[in-house]
Amino acid sequence: QGHLVESGGGLVQAGGSLTLSCGTSGRASSYFVMGWFRQAPGKEREFVASIQWRSGSTYVSDSVKGRFTISKNDARNAVFLQMNTLRPEDTGVYYCAADRTISSSNLFDARRYGDWGLGTQVTVSS
């Protein structure tokens, strides 16, 4: 029903940083959760991070923990992914996702999210 738009991807050297943004078409607080997934060529889509809109609870995958931070801005109806100390294995298309009714036990499952952006490419060179 709603649409999401990602921005902020690009080409960076290993060790560099990028910040991704995801804007919503309406009131982001209508979503129970918003998050980020990524997909590298030849690999399945994997969970990166999520934030539950009303509570602010966050989850970050072990592969990026300590390097990536997810946050939200209620007034701007947007979520952000601050990515630091980027590695070549972080390369992929990053997708913003959201859902209104997903169970908290299914936050890591891409199949459970109903709304998706088109993705933004992140390339980390070695």
Side-chain angles (χ1 to χ4, degrees):
Q1 185 67 27
H3 71 271
L4 311 174
V5 180
E6 308 98 332
S7 63
L11 173 64
V12 298
Q13 292 185 346
S17 298
L18 285 173
T19 299
L20 305 183
S21 301
C22 176
T24 69
S25 61
R27 189 173 68 255
S29 60
S30 66
Y31 289 116
F32 174 69
V33 66
M34 295 185 68
W36 294 92
F37 291 78
R38 67 186 183 186
Q39 188 165 22
K43 296 184 177 180
E44 66 181 60
R45 193 167 299 186
E46 68 170 331
F47 172 84
V48 177
S50 69
I51 184 164
Q52 294 169 242
W53 199 265
R54 301 302 297 270
S55 71
S57 296
T58 62
Y59 292 91
V60 182
S61 70
D62 289 339
S63 62
V64 304
K65 191 171 297 181
R67 300 187 296 119
F68 291 12
T69 303
I70 188 169
S71 63
K72 63 182 177 73
N73 187 298
D74 294 21
R76 295 188 176 92
N77 294 308
V79 296
F80 308 93
L81 186 68
Q82 176 65 50
M83 306 185 295
N84 298 323
T85 319
L86 283 161
R87 305 166 179 168
E89 54 262 42
D90 294 319
T91 293
V93 178
Y94 283 68
Y95 298 91
C96 182
D99 198 82
R100 302 179 189 275
T101 60
I102 191 172
S103 168
S104 60
S105 64
N106 297 128
L107 296 175
F108 311 104
D109 188 352
R111 298 171 298 178
R112 304 291 187 174
Y113 287 73
D115 289 352
W116 291 85
L118 295 178
T120 184
Q121 177 71 41
V122 172
T123 303
V124 185
S125 64
S126 59

